[in-house]
Amino acid sequence: MTYNQYVLNSEIQYLLKKNKDFRQLWIDGIRTGLSRSQRYDSDKLFTIGKKYTRKDVMRQSNNITNVTAQNIGGYYFNDKYGMIFVTYKKSMNISKSIQYEDRFLSDRILHYYSTNNRKLTSKEVQKFFTDKYRLLLFVKKSDADDNKDFYYLGTCSYIDSSARQENQDGKPIVSMNLRLDNRVNYHLYHLLTD
């Protein structure tokens, strides 16, 4: 066997030869996957404007450890990336301490809040201020219908001197402005903000 080659196990090989319904479903699955892959830029880790779940992002960013998606919260840093997840319109049923007021100031600037109980000196907040990590921004409109998909809006960077120490529901929190490297598509911007 050589590298860059896939080999099917003997059971699948047998079913492909002997069961024409299985073979047709297999072919349909391959064609569908290839067709859907045309929607994405295969030269990039993520495609701007396409949807990803937290689990997709963790898997595609090659994390060394398997991070459970629900343990991520608003952001996660590995050794290369800072993956930022924003729910634009928060449910009123959640605790006031996590009703962050993240908002677009324009189609290129996002006013962003850290998780609560963080200060400007917190190690994870300091990661936003360094060039060591590529910041990847994922935004979804709301938690309505338990939608787990976030739109990838591209890379962004911290705007110098924009971080502020604030309090939310009696807990310290840091706000900052992030500049996207690419403007948010007009229609997607209005979908998220209206």
Side-chain angles (χ1 to χ4, degrees):
M1 182 163 102
T2 61
Y3 292 103
N4 297 325
Q5 181 180 5
Y6 293 97
V7 177
L8 303 175
N9 69 36
S10 58
E11 184 178 354
I12 290 180
Q13 288 179 26
Y14 175 81
L15 287 170
L16 287 170
K17 287 178 186 173
K18 300 294 182 184
N19 185 327
K20 69 180 183 175
D21 291 334
F22 179 81
R23 183 174 52 252
Q24 188 58 51
L25 288 172
W26 180 274
I27 291 168
D28 287 348
I30 298 292
R31 285 183 179 151
T32 300
L34 291 171
S35 175
R36 289 183 58 89
S37 73
Q38 299 300 312
R39 301 176 189 174
Y40 295 87
D41 185 347
S42 62
D43 294 335
K44 298 204 167 55
L45 191 60
F46 300 101
T47 301
I48 292 176
K50 297 301 178 189
K51 293 180 179 181
Y52 301 88
T53 64
R54 283 183 171 100
K55 185 175 182 177
D56 294 334
V57 173
M58 292 298 106
R59 185 176 40 237
Q60 286 180 226
S61 57
N62 297 320
N63 284 304
I64 294 170
T65 58
N66 184 14
V67 182
T68 306
Q70 60 259 37
N71 292 341
I72 296 168
Y75 48 85
Y76 179 83
F77 286 87
N78 64 15
D79 60 341
K80 191 172 181 180
Y81 301 107
M83 294 145 284
I84 303 166
F85 299 93
V86 173
T87 302
Y88 203 77
K89 295 186 178 173
K90 313 295 189 287
S91 168
M92 298 310 287
N93 298 332
I94 62 174
S95 168
K96 285 187 179 189
S97 66
I98 59 173
Q99 287 183 11
Y100 310 124
E101 297 179 27
D102 304 315
R103 66 190 178 282
F104 283 105
L105 302 179
S106 72
D107 62 355
R108 198 154 182 193
I109 308 291
L110 177 73
H111 188 67
Y112 180 70
Y113 285 83
S114 69
T115 54
N116 63 26
N117 281 325
R118 301 299 185 273
K119 296 184 178 181
L120 286 166
T121 55
S122 300
K123 284 183 181 181
E124 68 183 56
V125 171
Q126 289 289 312
K127 291 178 180 181
F128 284 94
F129 309 153
T130 178
D131 291 337
K132 180 180 176 187
Y133 305 95
R134 275 186 74 202
L135 300 179
L136 311 174
L137 181 61
F138 299 85
V139 179
K140 68 177 177 174
K141 183 170 184 158
S142 72
D143 281 324
D145 302 324
D146 293 325
N147 186 356
K148 294 179 171 118
D149 292 331
F150 290 80
Y151 288 97
Y152 176 58
L153 300 185
T155 55
C156 61
S157 57
Y158 166 72
I159 297 177
D160 288 338
S161 304
S162 68
R164 299 284 178 265
Q165 186 68 61
E166 298 186 27
N167 282 301
Q168 183 161 325
D169 199 36
K171 296 179 180 178
I173 192 168
V174 176
S175 71
M176 66 188 80
N177 291 336
L178 302 174
R179 178 186 308 277
L180 280 83
D181 294 332
N182 298 291
R183 294 184 186 282
V184 181
N185 168 286
Y186 175 83
H187 296 292
L188 183 53
Y189 180 82
H190 287 284
L191 173 87
L192 294 169
T193 60
D194 289 342

